[in-house]
Amino acid sequence: MSGEGASLDINEINPESVQDFLEALEKHRISCEREGKYEEAELVQTRLEMLRAVEENRRREELRSQQLAERLGVEEAHMKELHEFNEIWDRKVAEFEAHAAGLQSTLAGRHKTEHQAYLEKSRAETEPRTPRWSKDLLNLRKIQETLAKMKKYAEAGKTKMQADQLEEKELALWKQRREAKIAAQEEQFLHKQQLEMGGLLKRIQSGREEQKQARKSELERLLQRYHNVKTQLESQQRIIQQRVERYPLVTAFASVMS
């Protein structure tokens, strides 16, 4: 054992066998000490100290690498979850907006059709549908007819001209008042359509805000879970690091190899 223990290169020792080798060297040192082989015991002691120092550094480095890998694993898992979260919610938002656009388009198309039908019905049915001639105009027409029957054509022509002028004025006034009535009714009709479209847009915006809040809340829960996992891992790693500093050849080995 003395020759092997003194000459064996540390790098030639299997890391999994170092603990056994250290225990064997320690037993050999005690044996040499008991047998009075102090020079050999000194060599073994020096070898033990050197081997322990190298092994402690190796295990510290192994622990640092392991803990770094654990932290990177947490980060990668979080980034993957965050990417999937954004993909899902972006798809939800796109589907919502497409549905909302479809609802608006459908309602706008219905409004256009209903408006056209309303205008046709309004022009056909709005009263008075024909002019209501004044007594003066009706009287002039009777006089015109009477004069024509009496063969007083010159006077009948003058009377007709007066009646035509009055009829033109009354016809223009009828058209003006009827168009104003139709326009007022159309304005009310369009106002109702605007209210209906406004109600739809309000519901869409409400749904959009609810979806936005739901996404925000879910993101906050996701980030909180990540924070909790990260904090717990860091706490556990600090505890292990502290144990390693106190008992490098025991705790480090147990924590790394467990």
Side-chain angles (χ1 to χ4, degrees):
M1 178 66 187
S2 60
E4 181 182 1
S7 62
L8 184 60
D9 191 336
I10 295 175
N11 295 325
E12 297 177 359
I13 305 173
N14 188 329
E16 297 180 359
S17 305
V18 170
Q19 189 69 21
D20 293 338
F21 188 70
L22 286 172
E23 292 176 359
L25 279 178
E26 180 63 21
K27 289 179 181 179
H28 182 57
R29 183 193 64 78
I30 295 173
S31 177
C32 289
E33 179 183 318
R34 187 180 299 119
E35 296 175 5
K37 299 177 181 179
Y38 299 125
E39 290 184 4
E40 187 172 349
E42 181 68 26
L43 289 174
V44 174
Q45 178 63 23
T46 301
R47 187 66 172 168
L48 272 170
E49 291 173 357
M50 183 174 59
L51 183 58
R52 285 195 182 103
V54 172
E55 180 63 8
E56 287 174 7
N57 289 333
R58 186 188 69 79
R59 293 187 178 185
R60 287 191 184 97
E61 185 58 34
E62 185 176 353
L63 179 62
R64 280 195 292 270
S65 297
Q66 175 187 327
Q67 292 188 338
L68 177 60
E70 290 173 349
R71 292 195 297 273
L72 288 176
V74 169
E75 292 295 332
E76 290 175 359
H78 171 64
M79 293 306 297
K80 180 181 179 182
E81 185 178 18
L82 190 60
H83 178 70
E84 292 175 349
F85 169 87
N86 285 325
E87 278 192 337
I88 292 172
W89 274 102
D90 287 348
R91 186 163 57 250
K92 286 183 178 180
V93 169
E95 291 173 353
F96 176 88
E97 294 300 334
H99 180 62
L103 291 176
Q104 293 178 66
S105 178
T106 299
L107 182 58
R110 178 165 65 82
H111 279 177
K112 183 178 180 180
T113 301
E114 290 177 349
H115 182 217
Q116 185 62 37
Y118 173 81
L119 285 179
E120 294 176 0
K121 181 180 180 181
S122 179
R123 292 198 172 279
E125 298 180 0
T126 297
E127 296 292 345
R129 285 180 282 182
T130 57
R132 295 175 181 173
W133 308 119
S134 66
K135 292 182 179 180
D136 291 340
L137 177 57
L138 295 174
N139 188 46
L140 283 174
R141 291 302 184 194
K142 288 182 179 179
I143 294 173
Q144 172 190 330
E145 292 177 4
T146 300
L147 289 172
K149 289 179 180 178
M150 295 171 62
K151 296 183 175 58
K152 295 180 179 182
Y153 298 121
E155 294 182 24
K158 291 179 181 180
T159 303
K160 181 179 182 300
M161 185 179 298
Q162 292 176 357
D164 288 346
Q165 291 175 350
L166 181 58
E167 181 176 311
E168 184 178 351
K169 290 180 180 179
E170 292 186 3
L171 180 63
L173 183 60
W174 167 77
K175 286 182 178 180
Q176 180 183 357
R177 290 176 176 174
R178 190 168 189 268
E179 288 299 322
K181 185 177 181 180
I182 290 173
Q185 292 173 343
E186 181 186 8
E187 185 177 353
Q188 292 180 352
F189 180 84
L190 291 175
H191 180 65
K192 290 181 179 178
Q193 287 191 332
Q194 289 172 356
L195 289 177
E196 186 177 9
M197 180 61 78
L200 173 62
L201 294 177
K202 186 175 181 180
R203 291 192 298 275
I204 289 174
Q205 184 59 28
S206 177
R208 186 178 289 119
E209 291 298 327
E210 288 179 4
Q211 188 182 61
K212 183 178 179 180
Q213 185 58 45
R215 179 172 186 166
K216 180 181 177 182
S217 298
E218 188 171 334
L219 177 60
E220 289 174 352
R221 289 193 295 270
L222 185 152
L223 294 176
Q224 186 61 49
R225 287 197 303 271
Y226 162 68
H227 176 74
N228 292 342
V229 170
K230 183 179 179 182
T231 301
Q232 183 179 10
L233 176 63
E234 290 174 348
S235 176
Q236 292 173 345
Q237 288 186 345
R238 279 195 299 272
I239 292 173
I240 293 174
Q241 289 168 2
Q242 291 168 0
R243 291 176 180 173
V244 166
E245 292 304 318
R246 294 182 63 185
Y247 311 106
L249 288 180
V250 178
T251 310
F253 182 77
S255 62
V256 172
M257 301 305 294
S258 59

